[in-house]
Amino acid sequence: QVQLVESGGGLVQPGGSLRLSCAASGIAFSIYTMGWYRQAPGKQRELVAAATVGCNTNYADSVKGRFTISRDNAKKTVYLQMNSLKPEDTAVYYCNAQANYMYWGQGIQVTVSS
């Protein structure tokens, strides 16, 4: 059974930081591109950041320079370090694993508000 379990979300003030984690089980983690997506109320789900098998990374323009994605293949975990958070970063964040199949986590709320 494949599971992607996110943690680390919550409420933070503008300018603050959070680190999201996604622990994977049931997949050969090292062959999957791992990504973080987010969905704000009334908006479509969008790619935030992704880390490929070769550890190449790409980011949405809106988060470049503020967010960093990283992966630990030994721990089967992908991280998203989010700095300088803005109210517009408020969303449900989803972990994603993609190879020949695609899997999603259950999502975790991130709220940026004073």
Side-chain angles (χ1 to χ4, degrees):
Q1 181 182 1
V2 178
Q3 283 192 309
L4 301 177
V5 180
E6 300 105 336
S7 60
L11 173 65
V12 64
Q13 291 187 342
S17 298
L18 283 175
R19 188 174 84 150
L20 303 183
S21 300
C22 171
S25 60
I27 60 171
F29 184 86
S30 62
I31 69 169
Y32 280 76
T33 290
M34 298 300 299
W36 288 96
Y37 288 71
R38 68 186 180 187
Q39 188 166 18
K43 295 188 177 182
Q44 289 188 334
R45 190 173 297 189
E46 63 174 357
L47 175 67
V48 176
T52 68
V53 171
C55 292
N56 293 316
T57 57
N58 63 286
Y59 297 91
D61 287 342
S62 59
V63 307
K64 283 181 181 176
R66 300 189 297 122
F67 290 11
T68 303
I69 188 170
S70 60
R71 61 188 295 164
D72 185 331
N73 288 345
K75 294 183 178 180
K76 294 189 175 183
T77 301
V78 62
Y79 305 95
L80 185 68
Q81 178 66 45
M82 305 186 292
N83 299 327
S84 302
L85 282 160
K86 304 175 181 180
E88 52 263 43
D89 295 317
T90 295
V92 177
Y93 284 70
Y94 296 90
C95 180
N96 171 272
Q98 184 170 359
N100 47 345
Y101 297 103
M102 182 181 288
Y103 300 101
W104 292 94
Q106 80 283 359
I108 191 164
Q109 179 69 44
V110 171
T111 302
V112 184
S113 176
S114 55

